[in-house]
Every structure is written in C-alpha cells, then in structure tokens.
Amino acid sequence: MSDFEPKLVCFSCRFGWGYLGDQHALSAQIKNWIPIICSGKVDATHVLDAFKHGADGVLILGCPAGECHYQDGNAESKKRILLLQKLLDACGIDPSRVRMEMSLDPEGKKIPGLVKNMSDTIKKLGPVKMV
Amino acid sequence: MKYGTKRGETEMVAKPKVAITWLGGCGGCDEAVVDLNEALLDVTNAVDVIFWPVALDFKYHHLEKMADGDIVLSIINGNVRNSEQEEVAKLLRKKSKLVLSFGACACFGGTPGMANFRTKDDIFNWVYRDAPTVVNPQGNYPQVKTKVDGKELTLPAFYEQVFALNQIIDVDYYLPGCPPPPDLIANAVTAVLEGKLPPKGSTLAPHKALCDSCKRNKTKPQRIAIKELKRIHEIEASPDTCFLAQGVLCLGMATRDGCGAVCIETNIPCRGCFGPVEGVKDAGAKTIAALASMLDVQNDDEMKKAMDSIDDLAGYLYRFSLPTSSLKKRRT
C-alpha cells in the first residue's frame, strides 16, 4: 500500500480559487486540476466519470456559502455531492472520496495543500476498485 | 428487403424465422408479446417462430442445428446472471441476423440488477442459510456439479454479478420497458419485417423524457421546492397533479418516454423502467442533478432532514439500471 499514489481530480471555481496566481506554476503543482466557471457546473456525471476513468478521489473547490457569482451554484453543487455520496456509499465507495471545500483563495496557494491532505486521507483507503 | 406474406395469401414462401427467449427475467416480457392480442396472429402469419421456450416446446439442440444467421430476428428479454443464460444468448447471437434487446432487464439489467448491490456470497448465504424460512441443517449450497447415485448432476454457474445483454453479446436494437408496451413492440416487429430500421444501436422508442408527454406536466410549478420527500403510500396523492409538486420522487424527468405513462395513469410515480433518455448513459446521475435543484434547503440541518427523508436513494435511482450505470455494482 505504501507505494500507492492516489489519483485525484480537483475542480475549482475560477471566481474564488487561483485567479490571481500563476496558472502555469499552479498547474505544474496540481495534477488533474480543472478550473471551471462556478462549482455549480460540476455534475454528478462528471464525478462518476472521473471514478470510471480511474480517479481515487474528487475534490471540488467552491465559493463560500452566499458568495456565488451566479447566486447559488455552489449550494447546488453541495446538494448534488451530498446526494451522490449516498450512491457511492451504496456501491462500496467511501463517501469521503468526494469532498467539497467552500472557501476563497484568489492566489491559489492553499490548493496544493488541500489536494495533498485529501491524497493522504485516500492513501489510507487504497485505490477504488475497478469493476 | 421485405419479409413474409400477408394473412390470407397462399403463396408458399419461406417465412423469416424469429426466436423469442427469456434469460434472467420474470416472464412479463413474454406476456407483453402475448398482449399483442389479435396483432400476434398477423405476426405469426408473417414469421415462423422457431424458438419460444415460455410458450412452445423447443429445445436448445434445435437451435444448434440451424445455420448461422438463419434466424432473422432474436427477441431476447431478461439479463444474464448464469452460465446457461450466457450460453443461450451467445447461441442466438450466432444464429441471428438481428438481436433485439427486449425489456428493462435485457437493456439495463432491470430490477434483478439491484442484486449488484450485494455479492454472490451475500445472496447465497441469505437464500440458503439465513432467511427465516430456510431449513437447511446440513448447510447444502447449490453446486455446479453433484454426484448422486454414481451419476453427475449439473447446474448452471451463478455469476458474481448481473449483466445486461449488451455486456455479453453484440446487440442490434433496444426496446426498453417493464415490460415494453404493445404499440412499440408492434412497431419494432413491423420495422424488421419491412426492412425500415434505424441505425444499428438505436433504441426503438421516443428520445425525450416522460415529463415531456406527461398530462400532469401543466400542473408543475415554475420552481419545484421540496423540503422533505414523501413516498407514494405516505400521502393521499392527487390523481392530476405533478408528483414532484406533491413532494413525491417521480423519475419522469430523467426517464425515456414511450411507456404510455401507465404508472402515472394509476397514480404511481415513474420508477424509470424505460431507462435514460437519448444520449444519457447514467440516469441516476442525471436524476441527482434534477433532484438537487428541487430540494429547497437553506442550511445543513434542512439538508440533513431532506436527505433523511429519502429511503434507499441508490435503489430508487438505479431500480432498473444498476448494471449499466457508471457504478455497475457494489465494491467489496
């Protein structure tokens, strides 16, 4: 298990995360980083597709509650993730493999740390079994 | 190419051969064929039904003796859960020009596909050991081979999971439903006989969602706001109002149209037997997007209350389609 390196996909809202930072430098540090316009864009299908293609975890970075540029995209995404976690649990995939962080970080300095934290948690869970 | 002759014609032309069979299904799909009523006479006049185990006494070796591709159309219902079902599916594929995946079980795994939430061991232990009605002091479990009085008895091997038909053989067309309705069956058979078929891989049913044709759609408010979901038996449901507006989870928004809304007509919400709409693979994931937008919750407590009101969400969303969903089965 020690040589297992989890594959993480990180979606982040461009309005709240990393828009002032050096995109190239951040991209080099964060594997599978997908900046998007509003976390509300992340559908359950995207998360399931990530798992289907071999991801071991999915991290979604959205804006704080009440601060969505599009009114409530972050709240919509949060509801979807909570519902999706029920499906994952029923299929033997630990719900903590999908996490949503609602905060702000224009420089994007926190992102590599958040990805690492989640990777460490997932390392203990091991890879998602492909079926 | 046009096959067969019209009823009353005496011309002796070899009729196209059609096979109908059930794999892991309940027989309801075969019953749906019988429900064609008088139209079935036209069908049997136009074709030779050379295999239909539920209705007539045909044997597998009759099929084995046929030339490859000799059967014009095989209508296969039910999913694949054991080695016999796989063998029959592959034999019919070999002998047939066209294979129609018929009904929810063949198309998506169907209700028995929910067995994929459990392992084979869980199922065997419950059925042969733990269920309160079981008396099995010697702990006998079914075996693929058993010696009895010096003779070997065999049973098909029970697989680890349920498969939809297209996960086992190549399928030409799909006709979903639990069971498929008579009008779509008649259309499908006519299309084959007249050679007017859409591209291979098509589903022979409408492309839009059930909500699109639902009579109750006009009663849907502009924005549905659900605090807690109710199950149909927990309320006195209005027979005319959108179920979602009444707080009852109805899957019409993410389910293919074509069933004739028979459940809705009997005041039961849609459970999704027609599978996802055209272009969608995973109806459950799409339902989540729709359902989340309908949950009217302002904070974590309200969200928890709403979530707790949903009994077995995974079972509800994948009632007919777990084996073909992105998740497919429970990991152990």
Side-chain angles (χ1 to χ4, degrees):
Chain A
M1 194 61 75
S2 57
D3 58 349
F4 164 60
E5 270 307 317
K7 288 191 283 293
L8 232 75
V9 175
C10 174
F11 295 99
S12 71
C13 171
R14 281 185 195 273
F15 283 100
W17 294 81
Y19 59 91
L20 292 179
D22 179 341
Q23 300 287 304
H24 291 291
L26 282 172
S27 291
Q29 288 179 69
I30 313 161
K31 275 187 192 168
N32 306 316
W33 180 38
I34 308 173
I36 43 168
I37 294 175
C38 189
S39 59
K41 184 77 184 160
V42 182
D43 188 35
T45 307
H46 300 132
V47 179
L48 291 177
D49 275 354
F51 284 119
K52 201 173 159 184
H53 288 96
D56 299 301
V58 177
L59 176 64
I60 298 152
L61 306 174
C63 297
E67 293 186 33
C68 176
H69 184 80
Y70 299 110
Q71 199 168 330
D72 58 1
N74 52 355
E76 289 301 311
S77 186
K78 189 178 176 188
K79 285 190 278 180
R80 268 179 236 148
I81 298 309
L82 289 168
L83 291 170
L84 179 63
Q85 283 175 327
K86 282 202 163 198
L87 300 195
L88 295 176
D89 198 24
C91 287
I93 296 176
D94 196 298
S96 68
R97 288 182 187 273
V98 185
R99 213 183 113 196
M100 185 161 182
E101 177 84 14
M102 293 170 81
S103 177
L104 280 178
D105 178 18
E107 302 277 346
K109 286 179 183 166
K110 284 195 287 181
I111 304 176
L114 287 166
V115 169
K116 184 171 182 318
N117 277 350
M118 191 166 173
S119 283
D120 291 345
T121 312
I122 288 173
K123 222 168 184 174
K124 290 174 200 149
L125 296 173
V128 171
K129 276 191 190 168
M130 300 296 277
V131 291
Chain B
M1 192 175 9
K2 192 169 175 168
Y3 294 106
T5 58
K6 284 181 183 163
R7 188 146 38 132
E9 284 181 4
T10 51
E11 189 187 352
M12 289 300 289
V13 189
K15 291 187 202 170
K17 296 182 176 74
V18 170
I20 305 172
T21 199
W22 59 345
L23 305 176
C26 67
C29 282
D30 293 278
E31 182 58 41
V33 177
V34 177
D35 282 348
L36 288 172
N37 295 325
E38 292 83 0
L40 187 60
L41 298 174
D42 289 330
V43 173
T44 51
N45 195 50
V47 303
D48 254 345
V49 178
I50 54 94
F51 188 75
W52 192 6
V54 82
L56 300 156
D57 186 22
F58 292 111
K59 306 295 183 196
Y60 294 154
H61 62 81
H62 294 161
L63 280 180
E64 284 159 5
K65 283 178 190 157
M66 295 180 74
D68 291 356
D70 205 10
I71 300 169
V72 168
L73 172 68
S74 275
I75 300 172
I76 303 181
N77 71 70
N79 55 41
V80 175
R81 176 89 215 219
N82 67 39
S83 53
E84 181 184 359
Q85 290 156 356
E86 179 172 5
E87 199 181 317
V88 174
K90 286 183 170 168
L91 180 60
L92 280 172
R93 174 68 275 181
K94 198 169 166 230
K95 303 294 177 188
S96 310
K97 285 193 178 72
L98 295 173
V99 166
L100 174 64
S101 182
F102 189 92
C105 294
C107 292
F108 323 113
T111 313
M114 278 197 289
N116 282 5
F117 284 124
R118 297 279 181 275
T119 62
K120 175 188 163 184
D121 285 347
D122 284 346
I123 293 167
F124 269 38
N125 289 340
W126 176 256
V127 173
Y128 297 105
R129 189 187 70 191
D130 300 335
T133 49
V134 172
V135 180
N136 183 8
Q138 291 174 320
N140 290 331
Y141 279 56
Q143 303 297 320
V144 176
K145 289 178 182 171
T146 314
K147 288 268 185 201
V148 178
D149 298 333
K151 290 177 182 162
E152 189 176 81
L153 303 179
T154 60
L155 279 175
F158 189 84
Y159 292 159
E160 288 293 331
Q161 70 193 80
V162 173
F163 296 96
L165 189 60
N166 68 357
Q167 292 168 327
I168 300 294
I169 60 167
D170 187 36
V171 165
D172 296 288
Y173 295 102
Y174 299 85
L175 180 49
C178 185
D183 59 328
L184 294 187
I185 301 173
N187 288 350
V189 174
T190 308
V192 173
L193 293 176
E194 294 181 354
K196 292 177 182 168
L197 282 161
K200 184 181 165 168
S202 298
T203 297
L204 308 177
H207 288 186
K208 289 185 176 176
L210 178 60
C211 282
D212 198 60
S213 69
C214 182
K215 281 183 200 163
R216 301 184 188 215
N217 201 329
K218 59 183 184 294
T219 66
K220 181 170 67 70
Q222 198 167 16
R223 187 167 178 104
I224 295 170
I226 301 171
K227 290 275 184 198
E228 277 178 68
L229 281 156
K230 301 282 182 211
R231 296 175 76 182
I232 187 65
H233 64 273
E234 292 173 327
I235 62 163
E236 285 282 342
S238 150
D240 310 306
T241 310
C242 171
F243 283 109
L244 292 163
Q246 301 181 66
V248 174
L249 183 51
C250 176
L251 300 185
M253 72 286 203
T255 303
R256 188 186 286 270
D257 193 8
C259 57
V262 280
C263 296
I264 307 279
E265 291 289 331
T266 52
N267 214 10
I268 296 291
C270 171
R271 275 81 56 88
C273 76
F274 257 62
V277 297
E278 192 74 9
V280 173
K281 278 272 177 208
D282 194 315
K286 285 292 176 195
T287 306
I288 280 188
L291 177 59
S293 71
M294 289 181 235
L295 291 180
D296 180 22
V297 293
Q298 305 306 323
N299 52 51
D300 289 351
D301 285 347
E302 286 186 7
M303 185 61 190
K304 188 179 179 313
K305 207 172 166 188
M307 297 276 287
D308 290 346
S309 71
I310 307 170
D311 248 350
D312 187 16
L313 183 68
Y316 207 106
L317 301 194
Y318 292 126
R319 190 191 294 251
F320 293 94
S321 62
L322 182 59
T324 52
S325 70
S326 302
L327 294 165
K328 285 195 179 75
K329 60 176 279 207
R330 185 178 175 82
R331 280 89 178 144
T332 51

Coordinates of all heavy atoms in Angstrom, one line a residue, chain B residues 208-269:
Chain B
K208 N -37.3 11.7 -26.1 CA -37.4 12.7 -25.0 C -37.7 12.0 -23.6 O -37.9 10.8 -23.5 CB -38.5 13.7 -25.4 CG -38.1 14.6 -26.5 CD -39.1 15.6 -26.7 CE -38.6 16.6 -27.8 NZ -39.7 17.6 -28.1
A209 N -37.9 12.8 -22.6 CA -38.2 12.4 -21.3 C -39.7 12.2 -21.1 O -40.5 12.9 -21.8 CB -37.6 13.3 -20.2
L210 N -40.1 11.4 -20.2 CA -41.5 11.1 -19.9 C -42.2 12.4 -19.5 O -43.4 12.6 -19.9 CB -41.7 10.1 -18.8 CG -43.1 9.7 -18.4 CD1 -43.9 9.2 -19.6 CD2 -43.1 8.7 -17.3
C211 N -41.6 13.3 -18.8 CA -42.2 14.6 -18.4 C -42.8 15.3 -19.6 O -43.8 16.0 -19.5 CB -41.2 15.5 -17.7 SG -40.9 15.0 -16.0
D212 N -42.1 15.1 -20.7 CA -42.4 15.9 -21.9 C -43.8 15.5 -22.4 O -44.5 16.4 -23.0 CB -41.4 15.5 -23.0 CG -41.4 16.5 -24.2 OD1 -41.1 17.6 -23.9 OD2 -41.7 16.1 -25.3
S213 N -44.3 14.3 -22.2 CA -45.6 13.9 -22.6 C -46.6 13.7 -21.5 O -47.8 13.4 -21.7 CB -45.6 12.7 -23.5 OG -45.3 11.6 -22.7
C214 N -46.1 13.9 -20.2 CA -47.0 13.7 -19.1 C -48.1 14.7 -19.0 O -47.9 15.9 -19.1 CB -46.1 13.7 -17.8 SG -47.1 13.4 -16.3
K215 N -49.3 14.1 -18.8 CA -50.5 15.0 -18.7 C -50.4 15.9 -17.5 O -51.1 17.0 -17.4 CB -51.8 14.1 -18.5 CG -52.3 13.5 -19.8 CD -53.5 12.8 -19.5 CE -53.8 11.8 -20.6 NZ -54.8 10.8 -20.2
R216 N -49.7 15.5 -16.5 CA -49.6 16.3 -15.2 C -48.6 17.5 -15.3 O -48.5 18.3 -14.4 CB -49.2 15.4 -14.1 CG -50.1 14.3 -13.8 CD -49.7 13.5 -12.6 NE -50.5 12.3 -12.4 CZ -50.8 11.8 -11.2 NH1 -50.4 12.3 -10.1 NH2 -51.5 10.6 -11.2
N217 N -47.9 17.5 -16.5 CA -46.8 18.5 -16.6 C -47.3 19.9 -16.4 O -46.6 20.8 -15.8 CB -46.1 18.3 -18.0 CG -44.7 18.9 -18.0 OD1 -44.5 19.9 -17.2 ND2 -43.8 18.4 -18.7
K218 N -48.5 20.2 -16.9 CA -49.1 21.5 -16.8 C -49.3 22.0 -15.4 O -49.5 23.2 -15.1 CB -50.3 21.7 -17.7 CG -51.5 20.8 -17.3 CD -52.6 20.9 -18.2 CE -53.8 20.1 -17.8 NZ -53.6 18.6 -17.9
T219 N -49.4 21.0 -14.4 CA -49.6 21.4 -13.0 C -48.3 21.7 -12.3 O -48.3 22.0 -11.1 CB -50.4 20.3 -12.3 OG1 -49.5 19.2 -12.2 CG2 -51.7 20.0 -13.0
K220 N -47.2 21.5 -13.0 CA -45.9 21.7 -12.4 C -45.6 23.2 -12.1 O -45.7 24.0 -13.0 CB -44.8 21.1 -13.3 CG -43.4 21.2 -12.8 CD -42.4 20.4 -13.6 CE -42.2 21.0 -15.0 NZ -41.5 22.2 -15.1
P221 N -45.3 23.5 -10.9 CA -45.0 25.0 -10.6 C -43.7 25.4 -11.3 O -42.9 24.5 -11.7 CB -44.8 25.0 -9.1 CG -44.6 23.7 -8.7 CD -45.1 22.7 -9.7
Q222 N -43.5 26.7 -11.5 CA -42.3 27.1 -12.2 C -41.0 26.7 -11.5 O -40.1 26.3 -12.1 CB -42.3 28.7 -12.2 CG -41.4 29.2 -13.3 CD -41.6 30.6 -13.6 OE1 -42.2 31.4 -12.8 NE2 -41.0 31.1 -14.7
R223 N -41.1 26.7 -10.2 CA -39.9 26.1 -9.4 C -40.4 25.2 -8.4 O -41.2 25.5 -7.5 CB -39.1 27.3 -8.8 CG -37.9 26.8 -8.2 CD -36.9 27.9 -7.8 NE -35.7 27.3 -7.1 CZ -34.5 27.2 -7.8 NH1 -34.4 27.6 -9.0 NH2 -33.5 26.6 -7.1
I224 N -40.0 23.9 -8.5 CA -40.4 22.9 -7.5 C -39.5 23.1 -6.3 O -38.3 23.2 -6.4 CB -40.3 21.5 -8.1 CG1 -41.2 21.3 -9.3 CG2 -40.5 20.4 -7.0 CD1 -41.0 20.1 -10.1
A225 N -40.2 23.1 -5.1 CA -39.4 23.3 -3.9 C -39.8 22.2 -2.9 O -40.9 22.3 -2.3 CB -39.7 24.7 -3.3
I226 N -38.9 21.3 -2.7 CA -39.2 20.1 -1.8 C -38.4 20.2 -0.5 O -37.2 20.4 -0.6 CB -38.9 18.8 -2.5 CG1 -39.7 18.7 -3.8 CG2 -39.2 17.6 -1.6 CD1 -39.4 17.5 -4.7
K227 N -39.1 20.2 0.6 CA -38.4 20.2 1.9 C -38.1 18.8 2.3 O -37.0 18.5 2.9 CB -39.3 20.9 3.0 CG -39.4 22.4 2.8 CD -38.3 23.2 3.4 CE -38.5 24.7 3.3 NZ -37.2 25.4 3.5
E228 N -39.0 17.9 2.1 CA -38.9 16.5 2.5 C -39.6 15.7 1.5 O -40.7 16.1 1.0 CB -39.6 16.2 3.9 CG -38.8 16.6 5.1 CD -39.5 16.3 6.3 OE1 -39.8 15.1 6.6 OE2 -39.9 17.3 7.0
L229 N -39.0 14.6 1.1 CA -39.6 13.7 0.1 C -40.6 12.8 0.8 O -40.3 12.3 1.9 CB -38.5 13.0 -0.7 CG -37.9 13.8 -1.8 CD1 -36.5 13.2 -2.1 CD2 -38.7 13.8 -3.0
K230 N -41.7 12.5 0.1 CA -42.6 11.5 0.7 C -42.7 10.3 -0.3 O -42.5 10.5 -1.5 CB -44.0 12.2 0.7 CG -44.1 13.4 1.5 CD -44.2 13.1 3.0 CE -44.4 14.3 3.8 NZ -43.8 14.2 5.2
R231 N -43.0 9.2 0.3 CA -43.2 8.0 -0.6 C -44.7 8.0 -0.9 O -45.5 8.5 -0.1 CB -42.7 6.8 0.1 CG -41.2 6.8 0.4 CD -40.7 5.7 1.1 NE -40.7 4.5 0.3 CZ -40.3 3.3 0.8 NH1 -40.0 3.1 2.0 NH2 -40.3 2.2 0.0
I232 N -45.0 7.3 -2.0 CA -46.4 7.4 -2.5 C -47.4 7.0 -1.5 O -48.5 7.5 -1.5 CB -46.5 6.7 -3.9 CG1 -47.8 6.9 -4.5 CG2 -46.2 5.2 -3.7 CD1 -48.1 8.3 -4.9
H233 N -47.1 6.0 -0.7 CA -48.1 5.5 0.3 C -48.2 6.4 1.5 O -49.1 6.2 2.3 CB -47.7 4.1 0.7 CG -46.4 4.0 1.5 ND1 -45.2 3.8 0.8 CD2 -46.2 4.1 2.8 CE1 -44.3 3.8 1.8 NE2 -44.8 4.0 2.9
E234 N -47.4 7.4 1.6 CA -47.4 8.2 2.8 C -48.4 9.4 2.6 O -48.6 10.2 3.6 CB -46.0 8.7 3.1 CG -45.1 7.6 3.6 CD -43.7 8.1 3.8 OE1 -43.2 9.0 3.0 OE2 -43.0 7.6 4.6
I235 N -48.8 9.6 1.4 CA -49.7 10.8 1.2 C -51.0 10.3 0.4 O -51.0 9.2 -0.2 CB -49.1 11.9 0.4 CG1 -48.7 11.4 -1.0 CG2 -47.9 12.5 1.1 CD1 -48.4 12.6 -2.0
E236 N -52.0 11.1 0.4 CA -53.2 10.9 -0.4 C -52.9 11.7 -1.7 O -53.1 12.9 -1.8 CB -54.5 11.5 0.2 CG -55.0 10.7 1.3 CD -55.8 9.5 0.9 OE1 -56.2 9.5 -0.3 OE2 -56.0 8.6 1.7
A237 N -52.2 11.0 -2.7 CA -51.7 11.7 -3.9 C -52.9 12.1 -4.8 O -53.8 11.4 -5.0 CB -50.8 10.8 -4.6
S238 N -52.8 13.4 -5.2 CA -53.8 13.9 -6.2 C -53.6 13.1 -7.5 O -52.5 12.9 -7.9 CB -53.6 15.4 -6.4 OG -54.0 15.7 -7.7
P239 N -54.7 12.7 -8.2 CA -54.5 12.0 -9.4 C -54.2 12.8 -10.6 O -53.9 12.3 -11.7 CB -55.9 11.3 -9.6 CG -56.8 12.2 -8.9 CD -56.1 12.8 -7.8
D240 N -54.1 14.2 -10.4 CA -53.9 15.0 -11.6 C -52.6 15.9 -11.5 O -52.2 16.5 -12.4 CB -55.1 16.0 -11.8 CG -56.4 15.3 -11.8 OD1 -56.5 14.3 -12.6 OD2 -57.3 15.6 -11.0
T241 N -52.1 16.0 -10.3 CA -51.0 17.0 -10.0 C -49.6 16.3 -10.2 O -49.5 15.1 -9.8 CB -51.1 17.6 -8.6 OG1 -52.5 18.0 -8.5 CG2 -50.2 18.7 -8.4
C242 N -48.7 17.0 -10.7 CA -47.3 16.6 -10.8 C -46.8 16.0 -9.5 O -47.0 16.6 -8.4 CB -46.4 17.7 -11.2 SG -44.7 17.4 -11.2
F243 N -46.3 14.8 -9.5 CA -45.9 14.1 -8.3 C -44.8 14.9 -7.6 O -44.8 15.0 -6.3 CB -45.3 12.7 -8.6 CG -46.4 11.7 -8.8 CD1 -46.6 11.2 -10.1 CD2 -47.2 11.3 -7.8 CE1 -47.6 10.3 -10.3 CE2 -48.2 10.3 -8.0 CZ -48.4 9.8 -9.3
L244 N -43.9 15.5 -8.3 CA -42.8 16.3 -7.7 C -43.3 17.5 -7.0 O -42.8 17.8 -5.9 CB -41.8 16.7 -8.8 CG -41.0 15.5 -9.4 CD1 -40.3 15.9 -10.7 CD2 -40.0 15.0 -8.4
A245 N -44.4 18.1 -7.5 CA -45.0 19.2 -6.9 C -45.7 18.7 -5.6 O -45.9 19.6 -4.7 CB -46.1 19.8 -7.8
Q246 N -46.0 17.4 -5.5 CA -46.5 16.9 -4.2 C -45.5 16.3 -3.3 O -45.8 15.7 -2.3 CB -47.5 15.8 -4.6 CG -48.7 16.2 -5.4 CD -49.7 15.1 -5.7 OE1 -50.3 14.6 -4.8 NE2 -49.7 14.7 -7.0
G247 N -44.2 16.5 -3.7 CA -43.1 16.1 -2.8 C -42.8 14.6 -3.0 O -42.1 14.0 -2.1
V248 N -43.3 14.0 -4.0 CA -43.1 12.5 -4.2 C -42.1 12.4 -5.4 O -42.2 13.0 -6.4 CB -44.4 11.8 -4.6 CG1 -44.1 10.3 -5.0 CG2 -45.4 11.8 -3.5
L249 N -41.0 11.6 -5.1 CA -40.0 11.5 -6.1 C -40.5 10.6 -7.3 O -40.8 9.5 -7.2 CB -38.7 10.8 -5.5 CG -37.5 10.6 -6.4 CD1 -37.1 12.0 -7.1 CD2 -36.3 10.1 -5.7
C250 N -40.6 11.3 -8.5 CA -41.0 10.7 -9.7 C -39.8 10.8 -10.7 O -39.2 11.9 -10.8 CB -42.2 11.4 -10.3 SG -42.8 10.9 -11.9
L251 N -39.5 9.8 -11.4 CA -38.3 9.8 -12.2 C -38.6 10.2 -13.7 O -37.7 10.0 -14.5 CB -37.6 8.5 -12.2 CG -37.1 8.0 -10.8 CD1 -36.3 6.7 -10.8 CD2 -36.3 9.1 -10.1
G252 N -39.8 10.7 -13.9 CA -40.1 11.1 -15.3 C -39.2 12.0 -16.0 O -39.0 12.0 -17.2
M253 N -38.5 12.9 -15.2 CA -37.6 13.9 -15.8 C -36.4 13.3 -16.4 O -35.7 13.9 -17.2 CB -37.3 15.0 -14.8 CG -36.4 14.7 -13.6 SD -37.1 13.6 -12.4 CE -36.2 13.9 -11.0
A254 N -36.0 12.1 -15.9 CA -34.7 11.5 -16.4 C -35.0 10.2 -17.1 O -34.0 9.4 -17.3 CB -33.7 11.4 -15.2
T255 N -36.2 9.9 -17.4 CA -36.6 8.6 -18.0 C -37.1 8.7 -19.4 O -37.9 9.6 -19.6 CB -37.6 7.8 -17.1 OG1 -37.1 7.7 -15.8 CG2 -38.0 6.5 -17.6
R256 N -36.7 7.8 -20.2 CA -37.2 7.9 -21.6 C -38.7 7.7 -21.7 O -39.3 6.9 -21.0 CB -36.5 6.8 -22.4 CG -36.8 6.9 -23.9 CD -36.2 5.6 -24.6 NE -34.7 5.6 -24.7 CZ -34.0 6.1 -25.7 NH1 -34.7 6.7 -26.7 NH2 -32.7 6.1 -25.7
D257 N -39.3 8.5 -22.6 CA -40.8 8.4 -22.8 C -41.1 7.2 -23.7 O -40.1 6.6 -24.3 CB -41.2 9.7 -23.6 CG -42.7 9.8 -23.6 OD1 -43.4 9.1 -22.9 OD2 -43.2 10.8 -24.3
G258 N -42.3 6.8 -23.7 CA -42.7 5.7 -24.6 C -43.6 4.6 -23.9 O -44.2 3.8 -24.6
C259 N -43.6 4.7 -22.6 CA -44.4 3.7 -21.9 C -45.9 3.9 -21.9 O -46.6 3.0 -21.5 CB -43.9 3.7 -20.4 SG -44.1 5.3 -19.6
G260 N -46.3 5.1 -22.3 CA -47.7 5.4 -22.3 C -48.1 5.9 -20.9 O -49.3 5.9 -20.6
A261 N -47.2 6.2 -20.1 CA -47.5 6.7 -18.7 C -48.4 5.8 -17.9 O -49.3 6.3 -17.2 CB -48.0 8.1 -18.8
V262 N -48.3 4.5 -18.1 CA -49.3 3.6 -17.4 C -49.2 3.7 -15.9 O -50.2 3.6 -15.2 CB -49.1 2.1 -17.9 CG1 -49.8 1.9 -19.2 CG2 -47.6 1.7 -18.0
C263 N -48.0 3.9 -15.4 CA -47.9 4.0 -13.9 C -48.5 5.3 -13.4 O -49.3 5.3 -12.5 CB -46.4 4.0 -13.4 SG -45.6 2.4 -13.8
I264 N -48.2 6.4 -14.2 CA -48.7 7.7 -13.8 C -50.3 7.7 -13.9 O -51.0 8.3 -13.0 CB -48.2 8.8 -14.8 CG1 -46.7 8.7 -14.9 CG2 -48.8 10.2 -14.5 CD1 -45.9 9.4 -13.9
E265 N -50.8 7.0 -14.9 CA -52.3 6.9 -15.0 C -52.9 6.2 -13.8 O -54.1 6.4 -13.5 CB -52.6 6.0 -16.3 CG -52.3 6.7 -17.6 CD -53.2 7.9 -17.9 OE1 -54.4 7.9 -17.4 OE2 -52.8 8.9 -18.5
T266 N -52.2 5.3 -13.2 CA -52.7 4.6 -12.0 C -52.2 5.3 -10.7 O -52.2 4.7 -9.6 CB -52.3 3.1 -12.0 OG1 -50.9 3.0 -12.1 CG2 -53.0 2.3 -13.1
N267 N -51.8 6.5 -10.8 CA -51.4 7.3 -9.7 C -50.1 6.8 -8.9 O -50.0 6.9 -7.7 CB -52.5 7.5 -8.7 CG -52.5 8.9 -8.0 OD1 -51.7 9.8 -8.4 ND2 -53.3 9.1 -7.0
I268 N -49.2 6.3 -9.7 CA -48.0 5.8 -9.2 C -46.9 6.6 -9.9 O -46.9 6.7 -11.2 CB -47.8 4.3 -9.5 CG1 -48.8 3.4 -8.7 CG2 -46.4 3.8 -9.1 CD1 -48.7 3.4 -7.2
P269 N -45.9 7.1 -9.2 CA -44.8 7.9 -9.9 C -43.9 7.0 -10.8 O -43.9 5.8 -10.5 CB -44.0 8.5 -8.7 CG -44.3 7.6 -7.6 CD -45.7 7.0 -7.7

